[in-house]
Amino acid sequence: MLFRSTTEFLIFTSIVIFLSALVQATIGFGFPMIATPLLAMVTDMKTAVIYVAIPTLVLNLSVLIIEGNFLQTIKRFYLLAIIAMIGSAIGTQILIYSNSEIFKFLLAISILFYLFSQKISFEMPWVRSKPNLATFIFGLSAGVIGGLTNVMALVLIIYSLESRHSKKEIIQSTNLCFMFGKIIQIAIFIAHGSFTQEILEISLYNLLIVGICLMIGFNLRKKIASDSYFKFIKAFLFLMAIALILQTIF
């Protein structure tokens, strides 16, 4: 831990939650992808995942409700979400019983893969020709990676793009899978006694910050130029990935 007191860590956590939640509310996803590596740089991977679990669940549910067609979203993507939930349970168990420092490196590689995959033109036509197989493979792998690193969205975005989903469908499916994954992950953490009173109190406090960001972010969504915003976020993620790799090595 880099902080001399709980108060310093609380201030840092609040800033991280605010920035990450603002991104999620503005573009529809991104909270765990930003919050987890930032917290992982000052604590261990398991603790970072636990700290953002409850705020992530609330954000996912809020985005789904605000996007609309909540029941239709569940009806269409429930199978993908259930498989992702199973994968998340597997990944969470591995995270609990393994050296979580290793997964900082996995998180960094996942972020870099996401950033550079957009520069490479590759197609997987079998995703559309064999939808059931694709749902199982991508759902399970997204869940496992999400359980380990909190970055489930990377795999799901690739799946959605190959399935020719619209922007709205990408936001809906990603948030639904994350919501299902967080429900089972929180349940497992509670069963293993990983939620201390301090973590629970900070998580509940951070929900206030999330609420403020939701109000600000949904208004910003209509005003900010998407291209400029995504470029800034990608550059920020790249720097975090490099920092995590260096921290893991040294």
Side-chain angles (χ1 to χ4, degrees), residues 139-214:
L140 189 65
S141 57
V144 173
I145 292 175
L148 290 172
T149 67
N150 235 9
V151 190
M152 185 186 295
L154 305 180
V155 178
L156 293 174
I157 288 173
I158 294 174
Y159 168 76
S160 293
L161 292 175
E162 290 298 321
S163 299
R164 301 293 191 265
H165 290 164
S166 65
K167 179 182 177 182
K168 185 179 183 68
E169 289 171 333
I170 292 175
I171 293 175
Q172 289 174 329
S173 62
T174 301
N175 279 278
L176 184 67
C177 288
F178 237 118
M179 186 179 76
F180 274 53
K182 285 296 126 186
I183 290 173
I184 190 64
Q185 188 176 61
I186 290 172
I188 291 173
F189 280 141
I190 291 175
H192 285 274
S194 299
F195 267 107
T196 64
Q197 183 177 351
E198 178 186 351
I199 290 177
L200 185 59
E201 289 175 354
I202 292 177
S203 296
L204 294 176
Y205 164 75
N206 286 331
L207 291 182
L208 297 175
I209 300 175
V210 167
I212 295 172
C213 291
L214 284 171

Side-chain angles (χ1 to χ4, degrees), residues 1-10:
M1 186 77 70
L2 300 179
F3 303 98
R4 292 173 294 181
S5 67
T6 303
T7 301
E8 290 181 359
F9 180 68
L10 179 61

Side-chain angles (χ1 to χ4, degrees), residues 3-227:
F3 303 98
R4 292 173 294 181
S5 67
T6 303
T7 301
E8 290 181 359
F9 180 68
L10 179 61
I11 293 172
F12 176 78
T13 303
S14 299
I15 294 172
V16 169
I17 295 297
F18 179 83
L19 294 175
S20 307
L22 190 60
V23 171
Q24 172 95 12
T26 305
I27 66 176
F29 55 87
F31 173 77
M33 193 186 303
I34 295 174
T36 307
L38 276 174
L39 291 176
M41 286 191 288
V42 299
T43 185
D44 62 275
M45 192 68 191
K46 176 186 171 184
T47 303
V49 172
I50 292 173
Y51 268 116
V52 301
I54 294 177
T56 299
L57 177 60
V58 173
L59 271 169
N60 294 145
L61 180 59
S62 301
V63 170
L64 283 170
I65 292 174
I66 293 174
E67 284 292 324
N69 301 320
F70 183 59
L71 294 179
Q72 292 181 11
T73 299
I74 294 178
K75 184 178 180 179
R76 179 170 184 184
F77 297 111
Y78 78 92
L79 182 58
L80 180 67
I82 289 175
I83 295 174
M85 175 186 278
I86 295 171
S88 183
I90 296 171
T92 302
Q93 291 284 0
I94 296 173
L95 179 65
I96 289 174
Y97 292 108
S98 303
N99 178 10
S100 61
E101 291 298 306
I102 297 174
F103 303 119
K104 286 186 180 182
F105 185 77
L106 176 60
L107 174 59
I109 296 300
S110 298
I111 293 173
L112 291 176
F113 176 78
Y114 166 70
L115 294 174
F116 286 105
S117 66
Q118 297 183 330
K119 303 291 183 181
I120 304 173
S121 178
F122 69 96
E123 292 187 2
M124 292 179 282
W126 62 271
V127 172
R128 293 185 298 280
S129 62
K130 299 179 180 179
N132 291 334
L133 178 62
T135 297
F136 177 79
I137 291 176
F138 279 94
L140 189 65
S141 57
V144 173
I145 292 175
L148 290 172
T149 67
N150 235 9
V151 190
M152 185 186 295
L154 305 180
V155 178
L156 293 174
I157 288 173
I158 294 174
Y159 168 76
S160 293
L161 292 175
E162 290 298 321
S163 299
R164 301 293 191 265
H165 290 164
S166 65
K167 179 182 177 182
K168 185 179 183 68
E169 289 171 333
I170 292 175
I171 293 175
Q172 289 174 329
S173 62
T174 301
N175 279 278
L176 184 67
C177 288
F178 237 118
M179 186 179 76
F180 274 53
K182 285 296 126 186
I183 290 173
I184 190 64
Q185 188 176 61
I186 290 172
I188 291 173
F189 280 141
I190 291 175
H192 285 274
S194 299
F195 267 107
T196 64
Q197 183 177 351
E198 178 186 351
I199 290 177
L200 185 59
E201 289 175 354
I202 292 177
S203 296
L204 294 176
Y205 164 75
N206 286 331
L207 291 182
L208 297 175
I209 300 175
V210 167
I212 295 172
C213 291
L214 284 171
M215 292 186 290
I216 298 173
F218 287 121
N219 289 323
L220 286 177
R221 185 181 296 189
K222 304 174 184 178
K223 301 176 182 179
I224 297 180
S226 297
D227 292 341

